[in-house]
Amino acid sequence: MLFHVRMDVNLPASMPEAEATALKATEKAQSQALQASGQWRHLWRIAGQYSNISLFDVSSIDELHQLLSQLPLFPYMKIQVMPLCRHPSSIREDDR
């Protein structure tokens, strides 16, 4: 199943810089591992914001929730999820 996910990150201004840097590095490594696995299919930054639009390819909404809730930045995110399905007018044979 494909899911369109918007993640808006809001780290507290009071968070020490070293802690924020370490958290972001851990997040980057985990997100790249999920991308390599094919579960996190696409990742785009929203220009001018600490936000992204991503496409996930997982077997269920429960699997998506598990992946998202294990992200290091999860406690600092506002997340919007939209399930996707093929449009009948699409000329594409697959979801790539």
Side-chain angles (χ1 to χ4, degrees):
M1 297 178 69
L2 292 177
F3 294 92
H4 170 281
V5 179
R6 178 181 173 140
M7 293 177 249
D8 299 303
V9 181
N10 185 19
L11 294 178
S14 61
M15 181 178 284
E17 185 67 29
E19 183 180 343
T21 299
L23 193 59
K24 292 174 191 178
T26 305
E27 177 85 12
K28 181 177 182 177
Q30 191 165 341
S31 73
Q32 289 179 340
L34 289 168
Q35 289 173 71
S37 78
Q39 293 170 297
W40 195 327
R41 191 176 287 183
H42 296 284
L43 172 61
W44 295 278
R45 172 167 286 164
I46 300 173
Q49 301 178 34
Y50 193 2
S51 303
N52 73 72
I53 297 290
S54 295
L55 287 181
F56 284 82
D57 189 358
V58 293
S59 61
S60 68
I61 190 71
D62 291 325
E63 182 181 359
L64 178 65
H65 178 75
Q66 181 180 352
L67 292 176
L68 294 174
S69 64
Q70 291 176 355
L71 292 173
L73 289 174
F74 179 77
Y76 309 102
M77 289 182 184
K78 175 183 172 192
I79 299 174
Q80 298 173 332
V81 176
M82 289 186 284
L84 301 174
C85 60
R86 180 171 303 286
H87 193 284
S89 297
S90 176
I91 63 169
R92 305 286 176 230
E93 295 296 321
D94 60 24
D95 296 316
R96 284 183 231 156

